[in-house]
Amino acid sequence: MEPIDLNEQSPDAIREFKAGLKKEALDSLQQKKEELQTQLLALQEAASTDTKSSAGDKYETGRESIRQSRTLLEKQWQTLAQWESAVQKLSVEPAFIVREGALVVLDIGWVWVSASFGKMVFRSQEIQGVSSASPLVQALKGKRKGETAFFRGKAIEVRGVM
């Protein structure tokens, strides 16, 4: 499928595009969560097979390393779960101002006000997922197509809001 034509933004086309984008984002987040779960299980297995040797310090250092890795992976999993929850709540209805759930076309690229999960490519279009709390979105909040916002000393033109 082709990217959405900014000149032909029927409400149905926008809903369909945003629904597909939302599904793609949720699928990607779920896959990342599953990858982390696999890593957590591997760490759990490593911890259970690690036996104390005569070099006690080496054993304790290994256990601590496993614990720290597990804590890091659990935090990453929690972040992904939060992003997933935020994306699930988003409306696919057309937006006319920059707000949560809006797909915003800027002169610097496409931004989806959703969660800070980074870049994704959907229908050949690179789209940056950003939180509504991000400084960029705060600068753009309430803007409409054709308006300009200033972010970090630069003018940013809003070319479209969906």
Side-chain angles (χ1 to χ4, degrees):
M1 293 185 124
E2 295 297 312
I4 193 166
D5 182 351
L6 294 178
N7 297 317
E8 305 240 351
Q9 296 182 24
S10 75
D12 287 341
I14 292 169
R15 277 186 212 96
E16 188 264 334
F17 186 86
K18 288 173 73 175
L21 177 62
K22 183 176 180 175
K23 181 184 181 323
E24 184 84 14
L26 288 170
D27 289 349
S28 175
L29 290 168
Q30 182 60 39
Q31 180 182 356
K32 289 176 183 177
K33 281 174 54 183
E34 288 170 4
E35 290 168 5
L36 286 176
Q37 192 63 39
T38 299
Q39 292 176 37
L40 282 165
L41 289 172
L43 276 176
Q44 185 176 343
E45 185 176 317
S48 66
T49 59
D50 196 13
T51 58
K52 196 162 190 169
S53 66
S54 58
D57 286 347
K58 183 177 178 182
Y59 168 79
E60 293 302 326
T61 301
R63 297 288 275 187
E64 180 61 19
S65 176
I66 289 171
R67 189 191 65 72
Q68 288 177 3
S69 295
R70 181 177 181 83
T71 299
L72 178 65
L73 290 174
E74 287 170 344
K75 284 180 184 176
Q76 290 172 348
W77 194 93
Q78 283 288 25
T79 298
L80 290 172
Q82 289 171 352
W83 291 346
E84 185 178 45
S85 176
V87 171
Q88 285 172 339
K89 294 175 185 173
L90 294 175
S91 169
V92 296
E93 290 301 313
F96 302 99
I97 63 170
V98 177
R99 61 170 174 77
E100 191 168 69
L103 185 59
V104 186
V105 182
L106 305 171
D107 54 352
I108 59 172
W110 288 42
V111 171
W112 184 30
V113 184
S114 53
S116 300
F117 57 79
K119 288 182 191 169
M120 64 183 288
V121 177
F122 180 69
R123 293 192 189 165
S124 306
Q125 183 61 54
E126 192 173 276
I127 300 169
Q128 181 77 29
V130 294
S131 162
S132 60
S134 74
L136 174 63
V137 174
Q138 290 300 309
L140 294 168
K141 194 169 266 181
K143 299 290 184 200
R144 297 178 181 276
K145 179 180 178 178
E147 294 184 338
T148 301
F150 290 90
F151 179 66
R152 295 188 179 157
K154 293 185 180 180
I156 299 173
E157 178 190 352
V158 178
R159 294 185 176 169
V161 179
M162 296 181 260

